[in-house]
Amino acid sequence: MLFAVVLAAAPGPAALFASAAPPAPSIGLALGSGGAAGLAHIAMLEVFDELELRPQAIAGTSIGAVMGALYAGGLDAAEIGAVFREFGGSRLDLLSGLLEADGGSPVTGLLETDLINGGLVDIDGFLEFLGGKIEARTFADLEIELSVVATDYWTGETRVISEGELFPALAASMAVPALFAPVERGGALLVDGGTSNPLPFDLLQGRHDIVVAVDVTGSRRAGDDEASPGMLEMLFKTFEIMQQSLIALRLAGDPPDIYIKVDTSGIRLLDFNRIDQVLEQAAPAAQELRRRLEEHVQRAARD
């Protein structure tokens, strides 16, 4: 009788196999700044969805912080794509016409300016639009741990925000100097995180089995534009050069396990109405990410 009880309690082959299976590797995902080029992050997140891999933590700067918040807030890559297609076709998408205005096209009556607070465009409408897409209002409401990067204007130091209200943190992270107003938080005046840490993979290192960093800073080639760049275009591209220098320094020191550089040539900082072109250009980088993720996951399983 005792023998029968022992047999009944013994685990079957499937249970033994399941118990022997190694745990999935912990993945940290860094999403970099880059304005509209950051729409390419959608293609990278789609790879995670298709492979059924879920990052345990996301660190994001500027548009990377926005994408990270939407993903951590429960949207999948396809849903985030739908959000930005809606944005790119709405009256809220005032940004896409701003560079055209810099070249002489009139946009009178279209832009909500915020000059009194130190910015050209009021970002509140965009944040309200995003707020209607997810239920999360604080970092504690998110499904994935999120770190948002901003920069202290007075000290130049990186400020990492991971608790409290979510949308003011996003506003601070994407407060591109001269475009959006800086954000006051805890006695500090915060501006775009891209001025100090445009690709914050360092926040994830040492904490996860695999650290993935997606770089969407653009490129410049003579002849990309039919005419010489206007004042705003020159300002934003110079800002981009600075960010690429900061990223290069961090990569030379302690690079992430997987570094993906996306082709965002021809995409300007405010081209949010060109999502299809951005995603098409991002396709090769997405394939590279898929291949390298599969390799690292398989290696982790063997180890």
Side-chain angles (χ1 to χ4, degrees):
M1 186 68 175
L2 178 60
F3 180 68
V5 171
V6 172
L7 282 179
L16 287 172
F17 179 79
S19 63
S26 171
I27 300 176
L29 175 61
L31 301 177
S33 67
L39 295 170
H41 288 316
I42 297 170
M44 308 303 122
L45 294 172
E46 186 175 4
V47 172
F48 280 88
D49 290 343
E50 291 173 351
L51 294 179
E52 297 183 352
L53 293 174
R54 185 176 177 86
Q56 276 63 52
I58 299 173
T61 300
S62 199
I63 187 63
V66 171
M67 294 292 181
L70 294 175
Y71 199 64
L75 301 188
D76 61 23
E79 290 169 329
I80 296 174
V83 167
F84 279 92
R85 282 190 169 85
E86 180 182 348
F87 171 70
S90 73
R91 294 186 66 252
L92 281 172
D93 182 20
L94 308 176
L95 304 179
S96 300
L98 186 56
L99 288 178
E100 294 179 8
D102 184 39
S105 301
V107 291
T108 304
L110 294 180
L111 292 176
E112 293 291 335
T113 59
D114 195 22
L115 296 176
I116 192 171
N117 292 314
L120 181 61
V121 182
D122 187 348
I123 201 174
D124 287 346
F126 176 62
L127 294 176
E128 290 174 7
F129 172 75
L130 294 180
K133 305 304 178 182
I134 58 175
E135 295 182 2
R137 290 297 177 268
T138 69
F139 283 84
D141 297 330
L142 298 173
E143 299 176 5
I144 300 173
E145 176 187 323
L146 176 67
S147 297
V148 169
V149 174
T151 304
D152 188 318
Y153 173 78
W154 299 114
T155 68
E157 296 175 337
T158 296
R159 299 297 183 192
V160 180
I161 308 172
S162 56
E163 59 183 13
E165 294 186 41
L166 177 62
F167 287 95
L170 297 181
S173 185
M174 60 187 299
V176 178
L179 182 60
F180 302 127
V183 174
E184 294 186 14
R185 179 186 175 94
L189 189 65
L190 302 180
V191 297
D192 193 298
T195 58
S196 63
N197 194 351
L199 186 57
F201 57 84
D202 58 300
L203 303 182
L204 304 166
Q205 287 174 309
R207 301 174 49 217
H208 301 280
D209 300 317
I210 304 170
V211 175
V212 179
V214 181
D215 182 355
V216 294
T217 55
S219 60
R220 295 153 307 283
R221 292 195 303 262
D224 276 351
D225 299 309
E226 293 182 4
S228 297
M231 180 184 68
L232 287 177
E233 176 74 358
M234 183 70 74
L235 174 65
F236 296 149
K237 285 297 184 182
T238 303
F239 182 50
E240 180 180 86
I241 293 171
M242 179 201 70
Q243 293 182 89
Q244 290 170 340
S245 297
L246 290 171
I247 292 171
L249 284 173
R250 291 187 182 273
L251 289 173
D254 186 14
D257 300 292
I258 300 175
Y259 167 73
I260 301 295
K261 173 67 174 176
V262 185
D263 174 17
T264 58
S265 57
I267 304 300
R268 299 181 297 179
L269 185 78
L270 304 177
D271 284 345
F272 284 94
N273 58 347
R274 301 172 70 183
I275 181 171
D276 291 326
Q277 179 182 342
V278 174
L279 294 180
E280 181 179 353
Q281 289 183 206
Q287 289 301 315
E288 180 186 357
L289 175 60
R290 173 189 291 274
R291 177 184 61 80
R292 297 190 63 186
L293 271 175
E294 289 175 332
E295 288 176 353
H296 276 76
V297 170
Q298 290 169 5
R299 186 179 305 126
R302 290 194 302 268
D303 296 341

